[in-house]
Amino acid sequence: MATKTILVKLKKPTKKKHKQFIYEQKEFSNCVNDCVERIQNGEKISSKDVPFNLKSSIKNEAIRRAKKAVSDYRKGRATTIPIFKKSLGVKINNQNWNSIEKNGRWYIAFTSNMGKKALPVVETKDVQTFFPFLTQKKKGFRGTMELLRKGKHWYVAIPIQISSELDFEKKHKRIFENMKRQKSTSIGVDLGLGHIAVVSEPFSGKRQFFSGKEVGYMRRHFCSLRRSLGKAKALRVIKRIGKKEREWMKDYNRKLAKDIVDFALQFDNPIIKMEALDDIRKTCRSMKRADKTIHSWSFYQLKQFIKEKAAKHNIPVVDINPYQTSQFCGCCGHAEKNNRYGDKFRCVKCGYTCHADLNASNNIARSTSLAG
């Protein structure tokens, strides 16, 4: 599954609703800032402990946002903890909003302090395409929505789970085929286990390594928990642990995808190239036992997040034929299995040496062979 976020404009709300939404935005941002301070002080808080005039479900979203801000700071993903502004978008979980069709028109219904209200939207192609799948009965397609304001206008940012990206792929394959007629910068992304990702632009020599140690540690941690809980036959707790692990991986993948796209944005007209994923699982099976702890890591999910974030900046992402990308010498062009040993690359013909994953990333960036 892939995620597509659409921005839908609300038809001009009444003055009363406009005033109420501004008030809730302010309450939400104040709530997040208050929760950040309390979490830093070691408090464990729930919605009943939060003294703000918001629905409990929205308080819970504020707590999640605050926890993420503190976590990012503590893990070094952010240099400071931000002070959230009054214009912060209000998060509304998937159980508290849905689309409604009335007399051939589409509305968005969501929970606020005024109760659950249905507001008409400006109908676009996205609305016509996706709103039939966002009704009350089809919760599986909905994610956490965000209520936003731009000046006097109100919008909702809606994430949608979609199963097909055929049009997306066709569009970016056309871009790739026309790349020779344009001055584009190729960015290679090699996915693996020792390093989750290695990103490079071979002509400038810029590169970035993303270690797999944190992922490996968390996988082993959750695996150990499940083993001990299994002996105690705590089946419900095991289920919760599995959900927690998936959420952790999803959050990690989103952050990693952002870092990869940020790397690409350093260059003019970037195009991101990645190997087709068919052979990654086989590679995992050939790894040492210690490395198999991250065999189930969701490479596919990471790739979808990269595509999603790259699309926001109009950066095409294309699949490259993975044949011999890890064995090909970037210096003389000789390809042989013996060129690579573990994380070391040394060409048996010309003696060129390089980190094996960096060499593969550079080869992916230079490749013009699309995956079939």
Side-chain angles (χ1 to χ4, degrees), residues 126-149:
D126 280 339
V127 170
Q128 295 290 347
T129 302
F130 296 111
F131 267 43
F133 300 97
L134 304 175
T135 57
Q136 183 68 37
K137 295 181 180 179
K138 299 181 179 180
K139 186 171 64 176
F141 292 95
R142 304 196 306 269
T144 298
M145 187 185 80
E146 190 169 358
L147 177 65
L148 306 164
R149 179 169 60 91

PDB file of all heavy atoms in Angstrom, residues 126-149:
ATOM      1  N   ASP A 126      -9.406  15.175  -7.308  1.00  0.00           N
ATOM      2  CA  ASP A 126      -9.070  14.307  -6.176  1.00  0.00           C
ATOM      3  C   ASP A 126     -10.301  13.998  -5.328  1.00  0.00           C
ATOM      4  O   ASP A 126     -10.476  12.870  -4.860  1.00  0.00           O
ATOM      5  CB  ASP A 126      -7.998  14.972  -5.302  1.00  0.00           C
ATOM      6  CG  ASP A 126      -6.599  14.815  -5.866  1.00  0.00           C
ATOM      7  OD1 ASP A 126      -6.397  13.897  -6.681  1.00  0.00           O
ATOM      8  OD2 ASP A 126      -5.715  15.608  -5.494  1.00  0.00           O
ATOM      9  N   VAL A 127     -11.131  15.009  -5.101  1.00  0.00           N
ATOM     10  CA  VAL A 127     -12.350  14.802  -4.308  1.00  0.00           C
ATOM     11  C   VAL A 127     -13.251  13.783  -4.998  1.00  0.00           C
ATOM     12  O   VAL A 127     -13.756  12.847  -4.367  1.00  0.00           O
ATOM     13  CB  VAL A 127     -13.098  16.134  -4.096  1.00  0.00           C
ATOM     14  CG1 VAL A 127     -14.482  15.889  -3.501  1.00  0.00           C
ATOM     15  CG2 VAL A 127     -12.291  17.052  -3.173  1.00  0.00           C
ATOM     16  N   GLN A 128     -13.464  13.963  -6.291  1.00  0.00           N
ATOM     17  CA  GLN A 128     -14.336  13.049  -7.037  1.00  0.00           C
ATOM     18  C   GLN A 128     -13.773  11.627  -7.049  1.00  0.00           C
ATOM     19  O   GLN A 128     -14.517  10.645  -7.010  1.00  0.00           O
ATOM     20  CB  GLN A 128     -14.499  13.550  -8.480  1.00  0.00           C
ATOM     21  CG  GLN A 128     -15.226  14.880  -8.601  1.00  0.00           C
ATOM     22  CD  GLN A 128     -16.705  14.756  -8.265  1.00  0.00           C
ATOM     23  OE1 GLN A 128     -17.258  13.675  -8.174  1.00  0.00           O
ATOM     24  NE2 GLN A 128     -17.357  15.904  -8.068  1.00  0.00           N
ATOM     25  N   THR A 129     -12.422  11.527  -7.095  1.00  0.00           N
ATOM     26  CA  THR A 129     -11.779  10.212  -7.179  1.00  0.00           C
ATOM     27  C   THR A 129     -11.776   9.479  -5.846  1.00  0.00           C
ATOM     28  O   THR A 129     -12.103   8.283  -5.777  1.00  0.00           O
ATOM     29  CB  THR A 129     -10.331  10.357  -7.683  1.00  0.00           C
ATOM     30  OG1 THR A 129     -10.342  10.997  -8.959  1.00  0.00           O
ATOM     31  CG2 THR A 129      -9.657   8.990  -7.803  1.00  0.00           C
ATOM     32  N   PHE A 130     -11.411  10.188  -4.762  1.00  0.00           N
ATOM     33  CA  PHE A 130     -11.135   9.507  -3.497  1.00  0.00           C
ATOM     34  C   PHE A 130     -12.254   9.579  -2.458  1.00  0.00           C
ATOM     35  O   PHE A 130     -12.333   8.702  -1.594  1.00  0.00           O
ATOM     36  CB  PHE A 130      -9.842  10.060  -2.878  1.00  0.00           C
ATOM     37  CG  PHE A 130      -8.624   9.784  -3.718  1.00  0.00           C
ATOM     38  CD1 PHE A 130      -7.960  10.811  -4.361  1.00  0.00           C
ATOM     39  CD2 PHE A 130      -8.149   8.490  -3.867  1.00  0.00           C
ATOM     40  CE1 PHE A 130      -6.845  10.559  -5.132  1.00  0.00           C
ATOM     41  CE2 PHE A 130      -7.031   8.217  -4.636  1.00  0.00           C
ATOM     42  CZ  PHE A 130      -6.373   9.262  -5.284  1.00  0.00           C
ATOM     43  N   PHE A 131     -13.086  10.596  -2.494  1.00  0.00           N
ATOM     44  CA  PHE A 131     -14.107  10.721  -1.451  1.00  0.00           C
ATOM     45  C   PHE A 131     -15.076   9.538  -1.379  1.00  0.00           C
ATOM     46  O   PHE A 131     -15.551   9.213  -0.290  1.00  0.00           O
ATOM     47  CB  PHE A 131     -14.872  12.045  -1.599  1.00  0.00           C
ATOM     48  CG  PHE A 131     -14.276  13.160  -0.773  1.00  0.00           C
ATOM     49  CD1 PHE A 131     -12.903  13.343  -0.716  1.00  0.00           C
ATOM     50  CD2 PHE A 131     -15.082  14.022  -0.047  1.00  0.00           C
ATOM     51  CE1 PHE A 131     -12.345  14.356   0.050  1.00  0.00           C
ATOM     52  CE2 PHE A 131     -14.534  15.037   0.727  1.00  0.00           C
ATOM     53  CZ  PHE A 131     -13.161  15.199   0.779  1.00  0.00           C
ATOM     54  N   PRO A 132     -15.395   8.865  -2.502  1.00  0.00           N
ATOM     55  CA  PRO A 132     -16.259   7.677  -2.375  1.00  0.00           C
ATOM     56  C   PRO A 132     -15.652   6.572  -1.505  1.00  0.00           C
ATOM     57  O   PRO A 132     -16.376   5.701  -1.017  1.00  0.00           O
ATOM     58  CB  PRO A 132     -16.416   7.215  -3.832  1.00  0.00           C
ATOM     59  CG  PRO A 132     -16.230   8.450  -4.640  1.00  0.00           C
ATOM     60  CD  PRO A 132     -15.169   9.225  -3.925  1.00  0.00           C
ATOM     61  N   PHE A 133     -14.322   6.600  -1.315  1.00  0.00           N
ATOM     62  CA  PHE A 133     -13.656   5.571  -0.521  1.00  0.00           C
ATOM     63  C   PHE A 133     -13.394   6.019   0.921  1.00  0.00           C
ATOM     64  O   PHE A 133     -12.749   5.310   1.689  1.00  0.00           O
ATOM     65  CB  PHE A 133     -12.319   5.189  -1.169  1.00  0.00           C
ATOM     66  CG  PHE A 133     -12.470   4.640  -2.557  1.00  0.00           C
ATOM     67  CD1 PHE A 133     -12.291   5.459  -3.662  1.00  0.00           C
ATOM     68  CD2 PHE A 133     -12.809   3.309  -2.762  1.00  0.00           C
ATOM     69  CE1 PHE A 133     -12.436   4.956  -4.941  1.00  0.00           C
ATOM     70  CE2 PHE A 133     -12.960   2.803  -4.039  1.00  0.00           C
ATOM     71  CZ  PHE A 133     -12.782   3.629  -5.132  1.00  0.00           C
ATOM     72  N   LEU A 134     -13.903   7.205   1.289  1.00  0.00           N
ATOM     73  CA  LEU A 134     -13.627   7.756   2.621  1.00  0.00           C
ATOM     74  C   LEU A 134     -14.888   7.899   3.462  1.00  0.00           C
ATOM     75  O   LEU A 134     -14.910   8.654   4.425  1.00  0.00           O
ATOM     76  CB  LEU A 134     -12.930   9.120   2.480  1.00  0.00           C
ATOM     77  CG  LEU A 134     -11.639   9.128   1.661  1.00  0.00           C
ATOM     78  CD1 LEU A 134     -11.122  10.543   1.494  1.00  0.00           C
ATOM     79  CD2 LEU A 134     -10.580   8.250   2.311  1.00  0.00           C
ATOM     80  N   THR A 135     -15.916   7.179   3.104  1.00  0.00           N
ATOM     81  CA  THR A 135     -17.182   7.273   3.825  1.00  0.00           C
ATOM     82  C   THR A 135     -17.078   6.547   5.169  1.00  0.00           C
ATOM     83  O   THR A 135     -16.085   5.874   5.462  1.00  0.00           O
ATOM     84  CB  THR A 135     -18.321   6.666   2.996  1.00  0.00           C
ATOM     85  OG1 THR A 135     -17.995   5.311   2.671  1.00  0.00           O
ATOM     86  CG2 THR A 135     -18.526   7.455   1.703  1.00  0.00           C
ATOM     87  N   GLN A 136     -18.116   6.657   5.974  1.00  0.00           N
ATOM     88  CA  GLN A 136     -18.121   6.106   7.333  1.00  0.00           C
ATOM     89  C   GLN A 136     -17.815   4.611   7.357  1.00  0.00           C
ATOM     90  O   GLN A 136     -17.132   4.112   8.250  1.00  0.00           O
ATOM     91  CB  GLN A 136     -19.492   6.369   7.977  1.00  0.00           C
ATOM     92  CG  GLN A 136     -19.604   5.919   9.427  1.00  0.00           C
ATOM     93  CD  GLN A 136     -18.742   6.736  10.370  1.00  0.00           C
ATOM     94  OE1 GLN A 136     -18.600   7.930  10.194  1.00  0.00           O
ATOM     95  NE2 GLN A 136     -18.161   6.085  11.360  1.00  0.00           N
ATOM     96  N   LYS A 137     -18.304   3.879   6.361  1.00  0.00           N
ATOM     97  CA  LYS A 137     -18.159   2.427   6.352  1.00  0.00           C
ATOM     98  C   LYS A 137     -16.783   1.960   5.881  1.00  0.00           C
ATOM     99  O   LYS A 137     -16.462   0.774   5.980  1.00  0.00           O
ATOM    100  CB  LYS A 137     -19.230   1.801   5.459  1.00  0.00           C
ATOM    101  CG  LYS A 137     -20.648   1.998   5.979  1.00  0.00           C
ATOM    102  CD  LYS A 137     -21.657   1.330   5.054  1.00  0.00           C
ATOM    103  CE  LYS A 137     -23.081   1.516   5.560  1.00  0.00           C
ATOM    104  NZ  LYS A 137     -24.068   0.887   4.663  1.00  0.00           N
ATOM    105  N   LYS A 138     -15.978   2.877   5.332  1.00  0.00           N
ATOM    106  CA  LYS A 138     -14.696   2.477   4.737  1.00  0.00           C
ATOM    107  C   LYS A 138     -13.526   3.080   5.510  1.00  0.00           C
ATOM    108  O   LYS A 138     -12.709   3.815   4.964  1.00  0.00           O
ATOM    109  CB  LYS A 138     -14.657   2.883   3.264  1.00  0.00           C
ATOM    110  CG  LYS A 138     -15.752   2.202   2.450  1.00  0.00           C
ATOM    111  CD  LYS A 138     -15.696   2.579   0.993  1.00  0.00           C
ATOM    112  CE  LYS A 138     -16.778   1.865   0.201  1.00  0.00           C
ATOM    113  NZ  LYS A 138     -16.762   2.189  -1.228  1.00  0.00           N
ATOM    114  N   LYS A 139     -13.430   2.724   6.778  1.00  0.00           N
ATOM    115  CA  LYS A 139     -12.413   3.285   7.671  1.00  0.00           C
ATOM    116  C   LYS A 139     -11.003   2.865   7.265  1.00  0.00           C
ATOM    117  O   LYS A 139     -10.033   3.576   7.523  1.00  0.00           O
ATOM    118  CB  LYS A 139     -12.697   2.853   9.103  1.00  0.00           C
ATOM    119  CG  LYS A 139     -11.794   3.489  10.147  1.00  0.00           C
ATOM    120  CD  LYS A 139     -12.261   3.189  11.549  1.00  0.00           C
ATOM    121  CE  LYS A 139     -12.193   1.718  11.874  1.00  0.00           C
ATOM    122  NZ  LYS A 139     -12.555   1.427  13.266  1.00  0.00           N
ATOM    123  N   GLY A 140     -10.875   1.718   6.606  1.00  0.00           N
ATOM    124  CA  GLY A 140      -9.560   1.193   6.265  1.00  0.00           C
ATOM    125  C   GLY A 140      -8.750   2.078   5.342  1.00  0.00           C
ATOM    126  O   GLY A 140      -7.522   1.974   5.286  1.00  0.00           O
ATOM    127  N   PHE A 141      -9.408   2.958   4.583  1.00  0.00           N
ATOM    128  CA  PHE A 141      -8.696   3.815   3.645  1.00  0.00           C
ATOM    129  C   PHE A 141      -8.275   5.147   4.272  1.00  0.00           C
ATOM    130  O   PHE A 141      -7.577   5.922   3.646  1.00  0.00           O
ATOM    131  CB  PHE A 141      -9.566   4.102   2.409  1.00  0.00           C
ATOM    132  CG  PHE A 141      -9.797   2.897   1.541  1.00  0.00           C
ATOM    133  CD1 PHE A 141     -10.938   2.123   1.691  1.00  0.00           C
ATOM    134  CD2 PHE A 141      -8.869   2.521   0.594  1.00  0.00           C
ATOM    135  CE1 PHE A 141     -11.156   1.004   0.897  1.00  0.00           C
ATOM    136  CE2 PHE A 141      -9.070   1.410  -0.208  1.00  0.00           C
ATOM    137  CZ  PHE A 141     -10.226   0.649  -0.055  1.00  0.00           C
ATOM    138  N   ARG A 142      -8.759   5.414   5.497  1.00  0.00           N
ATOM    139  CA  ARG A 142      -8.529   6.732   6.087  1.00  0.00           C
ATOM    140  C   ARG A 142      -7.374   6.716   7.076  1.00  0.00           C
ATOM    141  O   ARG A 142      -7.169   5.751   7.796  1.00  0.00           O
ATOM    142  CB  ARG A 142      -9.793   7.220   6.802  1.00  0.00           C
ATOM    143  CG  ARG A 142     -11.031   7.256   5.930  1.00  0.00           C
ATOM    144  CD  ARG A 142     -12.142   8.091   6.560  1.00  0.00           C
ATOM    145  NE  ARG A 142     -12.496   7.714   7.907  1.00  0.00           N
ATOM    146  CZ  ARG A 142     -13.434   6.830   8.220  1.00  0.00           C
ATOM    147  NH1 ARG A 142     -14.107   6.228   7.258  1.00  0.00           N
ATOM    148  NH2 ARG A 142     -13.712   6.552   9.472  1.00  0.00           N
ATOM    149  N   GLY A 143      -6.642   7.843   7.117  1.00  0.00           N
ATOM    150  CA  GLY A 143      -5.596   8.035   8.106  1.00  0.00           C
ATOM    151  C   GLY A 143      -5.952   9.219   8.989  1.00  0.00           C
ATOM    152  O   GLY A 143      -7.102   9.661   9.034  1.00  0.00           O
ATOM    153  N   THR A 144      -4.959   9.769   9.691  1.00  0.00           N
ATOM    154  CA  THR A 144      -5.194  10.924  10.560  1.00  0.00           C
ATOM    155  C   THR A 144      -5.214  12.199   9.725  1.00  0.00           C
ATOM    156  O   THR A 144      -4.234  12.536   9.065  1.00  0.00           O
ATOM    157  CB  THR A 144      -4.114  11.020  11.645  1.00  0.00           C
ATOM    158  OG1 THR A 144      -4.186   9.848  12.463  1.00  0.00           O
ATOM    159  CG2 THR A 144      -4.328  12.235  12.522  1.00  0.00           C
ATOM    160  N   MET A 145      -6.333  12.884   9.749  1.00  0.00           N
ATOM    161  CA  MET A 145      -6.532  14.103   8.962  1.00  0.00           C
ATOM    162  C   MET A 145      -6.006  15.318   9.731  1.00  0.00           C
ATOM    163  O   MET A 145      -5.867  15.292  10.948  1.00  0.00           O
ATOM    164  CB  MET A 145      -8.030  14.258   8.678  1.00  0.00           C
ATOM    165  CG  MET A 145      -8.387  15.380   7.729  1.00  0.00           C
ATOM    166  SD  MET A 145     -10.200  15.560   7.577  1.00  0.00           S
ATOM    167  CE  MET A 145     -10.557  16.480   9.075  1.00  0.00           C
ATOM    168  N   GLU A 146      -5.713  16.403   8.993  1.00  0.00           N
ATOM    169  CA  GLU A 146      -5.232  17.625   9.629  1.00  0.00           C
ATOM    170  C   GLU A 146      -6.041  18.820   9.125  1.00  0.00           C
ATOM    171  O   GLU A 146      -6.207  18.998   7.910  1.00  0.00           O
ATOM    172  CB  GLU A 146      -3.753  17.822   9.324  1.00  0.00           C
ATOM    173  CG  GLU A 146      -3.103  18.929  10.129  1.00  0.00           C
ATOM    174  CD  GLU A 146      -1.590  18.923  10.003  1.00  0.00           C
ATOM    175  OE1 GLU A 146      -1.050  18.034   9.314  1.00  0.00           O
ATOM    176  OE2 GLU A 146      -0.949  19.817  10.577  1.00  0.00           O
ATOM    177  N   LEU A 147      -6.552  19.628  10.061  1.00  0.00           N
ATOM    178  CA  LEU A 147      -7.297  20.843   9.729  1.00  0.00           C
ATOM    179  C   LEU A 147      -6.315  22.017   9.706  1.00  0.00           C
ATOM    180  O   LEU A 147      -5.656  22.299  10.705  1.00  0.00           O
ATOM    181  CB  LEU A 147      -8.401  21.084  10.763  1.00  0.00           C
ATOM    182  CG  LEU A 147      -9.239  22.355  10.596  1.00  0.00           C
ATOM    183  CD1 LEU A 147     -10.068  22.307   9.304  1.00  0.00           C
ATOM    184  CD2 LEU A 147     -10.162  22.551  11.809  1.00  0.00           C
ATOM    185  N   LEU A 148      -6.228  22.705   8.562  1.00  0.00           N
ATOM    186  CA  LEU A 148      -5.237  23.751   8.354  1.00  0.00           C
ATOM    187  C   LEU A 148      -5.896  25.060   7.956  1.00  0.00           C
ATOM    188  O   LEU A 148      -6.979  25.077   7.365  1.00  0.00           O
ATOM    189  CB  LEU A 148      -4.252  23.349   7.247  1.00  0.00           C
ATOM    190  CG  LEU A 148      -3.530  22.004   7.389  1.00  0.00           C
ATOM    191  CD1 LEU A 148      -2.930  21.610   6.060  1.00  0.00           C
ATOM    192  CD2 LEU A 148      -2.462  22.093   8.454  1.00  0.00           C
ATOM    193  N   ARG A 149      -5.199  26.158   8.236  1.00  0.00           N
ATOM    194  CA  ARG A 149      -5.680  27.479   7.794  1.00  0.00           C
ATOM    195  C   ARG A 149      -4.586  28.199   7.018  1.00  0.00           C
ATOM    196  O   ARG A 149      -3.432  28.219   7.423  1.00  0.00           O
ATOM    197  CB  ARG A 149      -6.089  28.323   9.002  1.00  0.00           C
ATOM    198  CG  ARG A 149      -6.585  29.728   8.644  1.00  0.00           C
ATOM    199  CD  ARG A 149      -7.227  30.411   9.853  1.00  0.00           C
ATOM    200  NE  ARG A 149      -6.288  30.539  10.964  1.00  0.00           N
ATOM    201  CZ  ARG A 149      -5.500  31.605  11.150  1.00  0.00           C
ATOM    202  NH1 ARG A 149      -5.517  32.604  10.282  1.00  0.00           N
ATOM    203  NH2 ARG A 149      -4.688  31.652  12.190  1.00  0.00           N
TER     204      ARG A 149
END
